[in-house]
Amino acid sequence: MALLRMDTLLKEARRNQVALGAFECWDSLNVQGIALAAARTGSPVIFQTTSMEYAPIGGPEIMADMVDFYVRKYSIDAALHLDHGANIKEVEECLRAGYTSVMLDASMKCFEENVSLTKDAADLAHGFNASLEAELGHVGGGDGGVGSESVLTEPKEAAEFVARTDVDCLAVAIGTVHGEYRGKPELRLDRLAEIAQTVKNPLVLHGGSGTPPELLQKAIALGIAKINICTDINKAFLNAIEETRKELSPSLAGNFYRPVVQKMSEKVESLIRLFRREGC
Ligand code: 13P
């Protein structure tokens, strides 16, 4: 199965009132774990990377080849997405490498500048038959006080933003944070409902890790079609390495691969099932 456009998968998800997990990728073990979980659940999945994740393994071409390999091996429906593209150069680099979706993140800029940068990126992505995600408002960092401050999305601006930019998927700021929460997570579901009334494109929730399952499922019922997960799967990966470390033979360091892939796939599988609102 070849990689698909992300918006095609997400439109279907929104129609069905479910969300797809968008999982950060950094190496072949975690990519394999994600692919396995998608195959086991029979669910489409989004593989995504920032430049900080593809740079250490040698660039977006290697990431695209690796993801494509596992997508074909497990015959799954999937997209490969650039998360938090910093500028148009990064966006173009990933499109040329074969990514089927990109994000241009101008959420820290003023509204007009965000509109203009997003419109340019949308035109570029569509020329490659790929979809574009952008963010309005800003999802800040939790991480015990480190990172940028959140700015909630203004529902009135959301419809205008989508109409003027041709963006395919819109990331909204409704109270989640990237990384660990500082206090009790609280989502502005009222705001999300208002946005969802006027924006019919798939809506994206960044900062999925650590968000209570019942809040995520309410957000999905209101229109969230993609949930980004980074911290939770990084933790699962590191814990699995930690657990297997003691049993490693000095001449077979690769022996930790299988248990790490296994733990990664278990974690991703449980999130995929949650986002499908199983048990609701
Ligand atoms: P978390 O690390 O909170 O899951 O956030 C991931 C994210 O939004 C990546 O864009």
Side-chain angles (χ1 to χ4, degrees):
M1 187 68 75
L3 286 164
L4 303 166
R5 264 177 75 137
M6 185 175 86
D7 59 340
T8 310
L9 298 173
L10 295 185
K11 279 180 197 158
E12 174 74 7
R14 186 164 177 185
R15 264 195 300 277
N16 296 333
Q17 288 192 305
V18 296
L20 300 186
F23 301 100
E24 297 296 323
C25 299
W26 55 87
D27 78 346
S28 67
L29 304 187
N30 98 298
V31 168
Q32 200 180 342
I34 295 165
L36 245 163
R40 258 196 234 130
T41 52
S43 173
V45 74
I46 314 296
F47 295 87
Q48 64 179 23
T49 71
T50 63
S51 59
M52 283 185 297
E53 287 158 330
Y54 63 64
I57 64 159
E61 295 84 5
I62 295 177
M63 183 63 79
D65 280 357
M66 193 163 72
V67 170
D68 187 57
F69 173 84
Y70 285 108
V71 165
R72 288 174 194 276
K73 179 176 162 76
Y74 291 104
S75 299
I76 53 176
D77 285 346
L80 174 60
H81 174 70
L82 166 68
D83 190 26
H84 294 289
N87 50 52
I88 206 86
K89 185 168 165 280
E90 237 172 54
V91 163
E92 185 166 357
E93 182 175 68
C94 288
L95 290 168
R96 289 196 184 285
Y99 282 48
T100 54
S101 180
V102 283
M103 176 185 189
L104 189 275
D105 184 0
S107 62
M108 298 282 274
K109 312 272 187 200
C110 70
F111 181 79
E112 285 302 325
E113 212 175 335
N114 194 352
V115 167
S116 157
L117 291 166
T118 300
K119 173 74 182 124
D120 289 348
D123 291 346
L124 184 65
H126 296 159
F128 282 83
N129 191 25
S131 53
L132 182 84
E133 176 184 324
E135 181 170 323
L136 185 64
H138 179 71
V139 178
D143 280 338
V146 182
S148 50
E149 284 301 319
S150 291
V151 178
L152 295 180
T153 306
E154 285 301 332
K156 285 194 179 65
E157 288 180 350
E160 181 187 344
F161 185 81
V162 170
R164 286 178 61 192
T165 57
D166 235 359
V167 69
D168 302 290
C169 310
L170 184 69
V172 292
I174 55 164
T176 54
V177 295
H178 288 111
E180 311 262 331
Y181 282 91
R182 291 173 211 178
K184 187 168 168 273
E186 280 177 25
L187 298 200
R188 291 291 306 270
L189 295 170
D190 54 332
R191 243 174 222 251
L192 174 59
E194 259 189 84
I195 296 165
Q197 257 170 17
T198 52
V199 176
K200 297 302 168 195
N201 304 37
L203 300 173
V204 178
L205 193 66
H206 283 240
S209 297
T211 310
E214 63 279 9
L215 288 183
L216 290 177
Q217 291 190 329
K218 280 184 186 161
I220 296 165
L222 289 170
I224 291 294
K226 170 181 182 250
I227 300 183
N228 287 9
I229 298 287
C230 177
T231 307
D232 276 354
I233 57 167
N234 271 272
K235 279 190 191 168
F237 185 91
L238 292 174
N239 287 343
I241 292 178
E242 199 79 358
E243 280 165 23
T244 47
R245 177 82 183 84
K246 317 175 219 29
E247 290 138 41
L248 289 184
S249 138
S251 57
L252 267 175
N255 270 359
F256 76 93
Y257 285 14
R258 275 177 208 274
V260 168
V261 170
Q262 181 59 24
K263 292 279 182 210
M264 176 63 50
S265 70
E266 283 167 14
K267 181 71 197 169
V268 170
E269 181 175 340
S270 71
L271 290 166
I272 288 176
R273 293 194 186 283
L274 174 71
F275 301 162
R276 288 209 303 213
R277 301 172 66 221
E278 286 182 7
C280 267

